Amino acid sequence: MYVIVEIAGQQFKAEKGRKLYVHRLQGEENSSVSFDKVLLTDNDGQVKVGAPVVKGAAVKCKILKHLKDDKVLVFKKKRRTGYQKCNGHRQYLTQILVEEIVA
C-alpha cells in the first residue's frame, strides 16, 4: 500500500517504513507528526483519487533528525564582459519515517 501525500507544498510517495527528506518541519526530533493532505491511495490495485484530498486518510510519521542538504552552487557568467559571480546555499531538511498509513 502506498499513498501520495502533500508535505510542505511538495508531493511525496509514502509507504510504511520508508524514510523521506522533506523541507524543514516544526517539531523536535523523535516526535510524531501527522499529514492529512492525502491526494491518492493505492491498496493492492484499488486506487482512490481525492477531489482534492481523500477523506479520512492520513499519514503518521516520526521526525528522525533535522539536517542540511549538500551545497548547491549557482554560477553566473556573461561572456566577453568579465562578469562572473558564484553563489551557493545549503537547504534545510528534515528526515521523517513513515510509521502508519490510515486509509
Side-chain angles (χ1 to χ4, degrees), residues 30-64:
N30 296 320
S31 65
S32 61
V33 292
S34 180
F35 304 104
D36 57 350
K37 281 193 160 183
V38 176
L39 306 174
L40 179 138
T41 62
D42 183 1
N43 192 1
D44 297 327
Q46 294 178 335
V47 178
K48 282 187 190 175
V49 180
V53 295
V54 177
K55 293 184 180 178
V59 178
K60 296 181 182 176
C61 301
K62 178 180 177 183
I63 296 177
L64 297 179

Side-chain angles (χ1 to χ4, degrees), residues 64-97:
L64 297 179
K65 62 182 173 179
H66 298 292
L67 57 134
K68 289 171 89 174
D69 199 10
D70 294 334
K71 189 163 198 163
V72 177
L73 292 178
V74 180
F75 185 73
K76 297 179 182 179
K77 179 181 175 165
K78 293 186 180 177
R79 60 186 189 159
R80 295 188 292 271
T81 59
Y83 172 77
Q84 290 183 1
K85 186 166 185 125
C86 187
N87 249 336
H89 73 282
R90 294 181 71 185
Q91 193 72 36
Y92 292 103
L93 298 176
T94 300
Q95 184 182 22
I96 60 174
L97 173 69

